[in-house]
Amino acid sequence: MTGTEDKTIARQICLELISSGGFGRAVYSDVEGLIVRPAHAARASDDGITDSDFSGDHDFDAGPGSVEYTCLTAAGPPLLADDAHAHPAMADMLDSTDYVVAPILASSTVIGMLHVAARAPLAIDGRDLECLGVYQGAAGAAFSRDAWSEVAVGHYTAVRQAVTAVVEDAGRIISADFEIGGVTSSDAQVPRLQSPAINFAIEESLTKRETEVMRLIAQGLSNAEIAERLFIGVETVKSHVKKVLRKIGAVNRSEAISLYLDNGNRSR
């Protein structure tokens, strides 16, 4: 775990497992191979809920025979530990060998692990397994959403930079008014600019207006900016954007831009 957003998610999950899930102790750990790195923990007490971050002091190897090893290799639903399969390091953190562990998946990859233990004198039961399963899915969705957000921002930034570079190059050529041997720049052959590759197969599936909208989306324009550029209403733009996304099979603008610009060489 590296980002502040990821740390916030881990802390929130641990606190929710205590306050809403009713567990006595909860630990979120990052996973690297078979190395488990506890990152955040929370516990219930008579004085309320306390929580803390970790910085590598509690890392351990989930070797064969431990419930953590089975959890990482199976990447399935929550598993219940016992005296024979509880990992000593985690049992020490949870003050119990009677705990439940669940892998956290993002894009089919195990990126983390949740541990919970019941609040004494209660014991873990089937309902606790079901409850942790709900948090397991929610945590995976939260981390996946965060990862895809970073990808979308990267695509958006790359597209904006490419469009800006093309516009700047075009501006320099248009403004260049020089004369060589009596031939002005307007008469001379201007080298062809390299622009982002466009998937023309996508344009063939769109109407003329939808193509105009798609090109402006690729330039990073907002719905309001597109409406102003095309002299139409914002609601009309929204309708066109929805149709464009549906036709090209994109779930959002960033994916539409990626499909439109990344595959141009195949369809021209």
Side-chain angles (χ1 to χ4, degrees):
M1 182 184 302
T2 57
T4 301
E5 181 70 19
D6 288 344
K7 292 180 180 179
T8 301
I9 294 173
R11 180 176 186 271
Q12 187 63 35
I13 290 171
C14 287
L15 293 176
E16 287 290 334
L17 284 166
I18 302 297
S19 62
S20 299
F23 294 100
R25 295 174 179 80
V27 177
Y28 176 86
S29 305
D30 294 316
V31 171
E32 185 177 342
L34 292 178
I35 302 299
V36 180
R37 305 184 186 281
H40 200 92
R43 65 171 54 203
S45 67
D46 293 337
D47 297 326
I49 300 175
T50 59
D51 65 306
S52 57
D53 290 319
F54 300 103
S55 57
D57 298 335
H58 296 76
D59 296 2
F60 62 88
D61 187 348
S66 70
V67 67
E68 284 77 13
Y69 179 85
T70 304
C71 174
L72 290 175
T73 53
L79 298 175
L80 180 63
D82 54 31
D83 290 338
H85 301 95
H87 197 287
M90 186 53 65
D92 183 59
M93 291 185 67
L94 296 172
D95 293 332
S96 175
T97 57
D98 180 25
Y99 60 76
V100 182
V101 56
I104 304 302
L105 282 74
S107 301
S108 302
T109 300
V110 178
I111 63 166
M113 185 177 289
L114 281 175
H115 285 82
V116 295
R119 186 171 183 176
L122 301 176
I124 293 290
D125 59 23
R127 288 174 298 181
D128 293 323
L129 289 170
E130 294 178 2
C131 180
L132 186 59
V134 173
Y135 283 93
Q136 175 189 27
F143 284 115
S144 296
R145 178 200 63 201
D146 191 42
W148 278 111
S149 294
E150 292 181 3
V151 171
V153 170
H155 275 295
Y156 178 79
T157 301
V159 170
R160 287 300 294 264
Q161 290 175 344
V163 171
T164 299
V166 171
V167 171
E168 289 177 351
D169 286 343
R172 282 194 292 269
I173 290 175
I174 292 173
S175 62
D177 189 12
F178 57 88
E179 186 173 326
I180 302 177
V183 179
T184 64
S185 60
S186 59
D187 298 323
Q189 183 176 3
V190 179
R192 186 173 181 178
L193 292 174
Q194 289 212 349
S195 59
I198 295 175
N199 190 332
F200 287 94
I202 285 181
E203 291 194 349
E204 292 174 0
S205 69
L206 305 175
T207 65
K208 180 179 179 181
R209 178 63 86 186
E210 289 167 353
T211 297
E212 292 174 336
V213 171
M214 181 67 250
R215 291 176 179 177
L216 295 176
I217 289 175
Q219 294 179 36
L221 272 64
S222 66
N223 286 345
E225 291 170 329
I226 294 174
E228 183 179 354
R229 184 73 64 87
L230 298 180
F231 302 101
I232 57 178
V234 174
E235 292 302 319
T236 302
V237 173
K238 291 180 180 179
S239 176
H240 285 312
V241 171
K242 288 180 180 179
K243 291 178 181 178
V244 168
L245 296 181
R246 184 173 65 252
K247 285 185 177 182
I248 68 178
V251 298
N252 52 41
R253 298 166 84 101
S254 297
E255 185 178 357
I257 292 172
S258 178
L259 293 171
Y260 185 63
L261 296 182
D262 289 352
N263 303 307
N265 294 328
R266 297 187 309 173
S267 308
R268 189 164 187 172

